[in-house]
Amino acid sequence: MKVTKNLPWFVKDPATALIGQTCYHSLVERLDIKDADCVKFAFSKALGLGIVVGGSIVKVPQVLLIISANSARGLSLTAYVLETLSYAISLAYSYRNGFAFSTYGENLFLTIQNVLITVLIIHHMPSTAPQLTNPPKHPKGNPLGVAACLVLSTVTAYALAVVPAQNLALLQMLTLPLGLFSKLPQIAQNYTAQSTGQLSAFAVIAQVAGCVARIFTTATEVGDPIVQAGFVMGLVLNLILAVQMWMYWGRDEVLRHKVAEDAPVKEKLAAKEFGWASGAQPHVETAVPAPAIGAHPERTTSSPAPPGRRWARKVD
């Protein structure tokens, strides 16, 4: 059509760069929707870009949840360390093999966001130092652990950039067990606690959708069986996390209300055990010092008189 053949450059150039000159001519200029290969390729490209954009924000709700709650309860440090390493290896492998950015770009953003979440988990880890009688209201966190995490992240990034290509291929194969072991600690922790803690439901659901989409785009554009197997395994494990989110949804609120309801019962049991009356304060006996030699006996059994008041003599 004449209209589609005369699109402005700022529309034509990005579209041509995305789907190629041949598919642009077929799908845009000729509007040939029967070209199955180009339709599939264009859909894969659009889906890949959507994943990259979504990957740039998918972990943001998790970060905000930790910050707002001032807690990383329920999040496995081991899981995030292994997952971050898996993302970083896949990013380096795809980039150095010249894959299209739309097939792996989300790994860049996921790696950055995971490093931030790992830092927050370390920051909120309980201190092993002796507890103070009156701890500060706002603890300083774990600066040494945070610094060590940032240093190790920088060293790992440099190592992945300079490692020989054949060794990087071996590392890419290791992302399969890394992907497995990165999810297992979180799954096990959720099962043990019967709760998902501060784990973000949005992040889990988005990762399930992302794995499904990546299986399609990898098969269409890359065709690398190692990368494909990693996404299939990631889909299975993320589905398990999604099922746990559904099973344990609202469990924290139920436990919180139960603890609040059990508090008065525990107080009554304690009162019964020590013989306290309901609502009464425990009787506390005070020791009375022995009278000094020569002291008046009546004054030793009485409390001191208020200032300015004289004692009255007892009348029999």
Side-chain angles (χ1 to χ4, degrees):
M1 295 179 65
K2 186 176 181 180
V3 175
T4 56
K5 288 183 179 180
N6 296 303
L7 293 175
W9 64 268
F10 55 84
V11 175
K12 181 179 180 179
D13 290 352
T16 303
L18 181 64
I19 62 177
Q21 184 65 45
T22 302
C23 287
Y24 179 84
H25 177 70
S26 175
L27 297 178
V28 179
E29 294 183 347
R30 295 171 51 198
L31 297 179
D32 184 10
I33 59 174
K34 295 181 180 180
D35 189 344
D37 291 337
C38 281
V39 169
K40 183 179 179 180
F41 183 73
F43 178 73
S44 176
K45 283 292 187 181
L47 190 59
L49 285 179
I51 297 172
V52 172
V53 174
S56 65
I57 61 171
V58 68
K59 298 279 189 174
V60 171
Q62 182 68 80
V63 174
L64 296 178
L65 190 59
I66 297 173
I67 295 175
S68 62
N70 197 27
S71 169
R73 182 181 61 84
L75 299 182
S76 170
L77 177 62
T78 303
Y80 271 92
V81 169
L82 295 177
E83 186 181 60
T84 305
L85 184 59
S86 177
Y87 285 145
I89 292 173
S90 295
L91 172 63
Y93 178 80
S94 300
Y95 174 78
R96 293 179 58 177
N97 279 277
F99 297 158
F101 185 74
S102 60
T103 64
Y104 71 89
E106 76 278 6
N107 284 333
L108 172 63
F109 303 109
L110 289 173
T111 301
I112 295 173
Q113 293 171 86
N114 262 28
V115 169
L116 177 57
I117 293 173
T118 303
V119 167
L120 288 174
I121 293 174
I122 294 174
H123 174 73
H124 289 291
M125 286 178 65
S127 175
T128 57
Q131 296 294 324
L132 301 176
T133 304
N134 294 315
K137 186 176 181 181
H138 300 287
K140 296 181 179 179
N142 189 358
L144 292 179
V146 170
C149 177
L150 295 176
V151 170
L152 288 175
S153 299
T154 304
V155 172
T156 302
Y158 176 77
L160 292 175
V162 300
V163 68
Q166 60 271 22
N167 295 337
L168 187 58
L170 294 176
L171 289 176
Q172 178 62 26
M173 294 180 66
L174 288 177
T175 59
L176 296 178
L178 278 177
L180 173 65
F181 290 118
S182 70
K183 300 297 182 183
L184 289 181
Q186 186 66 65
I187 292 172
Q189 183 164 319
N190 293 344
Y191 178 78
T192 302
Q194 295 291 292
S195 168
T196 54
Q198 301 300 329
L199 188 63
S200 170
F202 175 82
V204 172
I205 295 172
Q207 285 184 306
V208 170
C211 286
V212 173
R214 272 294 169 231
I215 291 173
F216 175 80
T217 60
T218 303
T220 303
E221 302 180 51
V222 178
D224 192 314
I226 300 177
V227 178
Q228 187 80 344
F231 286 123
V232 172
M233 183 175 295
L235 173 61
V236 173
L237 296 173
N238 280 311
L239 281 173
I240 294 176
L241 286 175
V243 170
Q244 286 185 324
M245 293 291 301
W246 174 75
M247 290 175 58
Y248 303 142
W249 190 263
R251 184 68 59 88
D252 288 345
E253 287 296 325
V254 173
L255 292 176
R256 194 176 295 114
H257 286 303
K258 183 174 178 57
V259 170
E261 291 174 357
D262 289 346
V265 177
K266 292 180 180 179
E267 291 178 0
K268 290 179 180 179
L269 291 176
K272 183 178 180 181
E273 180 180 356
F274 290 100
W276 301 347
S278 177
Q281 296 295 327
H283 175 69
V284 180
E285 295 184 357
T286 57
V288 178
I293 298 175
H296 196 285
E298 294 179 357
R299 296 186 181 183
T300 57
T301 57
S302 305
S303 58
R309 180 179 176 182
R310 297 183 177 274
W311 286 97
R313 181 177 295 275
K314 182 179 177 181
V315 180
D316 293 332

